[in-house]
Amino acid sequence: MSIANNDPASDSILLESCQKLDTASLSDALDSLNIAGGIAGLNQQVSGTRCAGFAYTVLYEPVYEQRGFKNAANYIDDVPANSVIVSSNPERADCTTWGDILTYVAIKKKIRGTLIDGAARDIDTVQRLNYPLFSRTRFMQSAKNRVQLKATQIPIEISGVTVSPGDLVVCDSSGCLVIPRDRAEQVIQRAQAVEQTEHKIIDSINRGASLEEARELHRYDQPWLSTQEKLAES
């Protein structure tokens, strides 16, 4: 799999590959390359949903001076299809930056999901629409007059992990992670090898091997290696 940056065809290959991989395998692949990608503390708000897409980053800041009414941010009009919105409202759990209107717009625009470092509301509606939403908490209180949009499409940090515009974001029931865009091909290849290794271990156990025997046979010490690489090392 050879993938060029910012090419629609290669973007489609990346997204299709990530849709087939769980975050556990992708996390193991990131670990094998010493890349910090797991975003701790974000919770799946709609059971059974997952998303994979390119990060569109949003950063909020407090309203320090009250000069007139501070309305909700309208950045979503600029978010392209196949994005995952990654929104940071740092250290704020007292007001929400996501709700039912943004969810309706996101679905219409074919946005693949949303991560909120902060609070989300209208969860009943989000669940009814089966939209992939991951947030740190839930709270009904509006962001209006409390926080305002500071910037979009800049690197942001969540739980010590940097998310840059265009990075690959994948979320499922196990959590959320980000893959640097320039390492995506390598991470995906290793994650695919991890899943193949684990399937082989389970198959060996079903055939009567002990867990220790199966792990040793299929090189679970380095599950991200391809079959050819494992043979070369043996």
Side-chain angles (χ1 to χ4, degrees), residues 12-217:
S12 179
I13 293 171
L14 282 176
L15 293 176
E16 183 179 354
S17 298
C18 283
Q19 287 284 22
K20 297 175 182 177
L21 293 164
D22 60 38
T23 56
S25 300
L26 289 164
S27 177
D28 288 354
L30 287 166
D31 282 347
S32 75
L33 297 166
N34 295 313
I35 299 172
I39 303 174
L42 301 187
N43 303 305
Q44 183 186 57
Q45 301 299 336
V46 182
S47 179
T49 57
R50 59 171 289 130
C51 63
F54 299 104
Y56 187 98
T57 63
V58 181
L59 180 63
Y60 285 86
E61 65 180 355
V63 173
Y64 294 108
E65 296 183 18
Q66 194 64 49
R67 296 181 180 177
F69 183 76
K70 296 292 185 181
N71 209 335
N74 293 317
Y75 66 85
I76 198 168
D77 291 332
D78 299 323
V79 181
N82 293 325
S83 297
V84 171
I85 294 172
V86 184
S87 175
S88 177
N89 189 19
E91 301 180 8
R92 296 292 294 264
D94 63 328
C95 60
T96 181
T97 58
W98 190 269
D100 55 355
I101 294 175
L102 288 174
T103 302
Y104 277 108
V105 177
I107 292 170
K108 181 180 179 182
K109 290 176 63 66
K110 302 187 185 305
I111 294 167
R112 288 172 168 252
T114 299
L115 280 63
I116 305 290
D117 182 16
R121 70 178 184 180
D122 299 320
I123 301 300
D124 289 341
T125 301
V126 176
Q127 290 176 340
R128 178 170 56 80
L129 295 172
N130 204 42
Y131 181 74
L133 173 64
F134 300 78
S135 67
R136 195 167 295 281
T137 189
R138 305 175 179 184
F139 198 56
M140 86 302 298
Q141 195 161 258
S142 172
K144 294 186 280 289
N145 286 337
R146 295 183 175 92
V147 297
Q148 61 191 358
L149 183 65
K150 181 178 182 179
T152 62
Q153 290 296 74
I154 63 168
I156 60 175
E157 186 174 303
I158 303 177
S159 300
V161 175
T162 299
V163 184
S164 296
D167 284 348
L168 264 173
V169 178
V170 184
C171 305
D172 61 17
S173 298
S174 295
C176 302
L177 56 76
V178 59
I179 305 168
R181 181 63 179 81
D182 61 352
R183 306 296 296 276
E185 178 180 354
Q186 188 178 20
V187 170
I188 288 169
Q189 288 175 339
R190 290 193 170 207
Q192 290 168 338
V194 168
E195 293 203 349
Q196 290 168 5
T197 298
E198 293 187 347
H199 290 155
K200 289 177 181 178
I201 289 171
I202 292 170
D203 184 62
S204 292
I205 291 169
N206 287 336
R207 292 173 182 271
S210 69
L211 176 60
E212 183 177 0
E213 290 169 340
R215 282 176 167 172
E216 182 177 357
L217 174 64

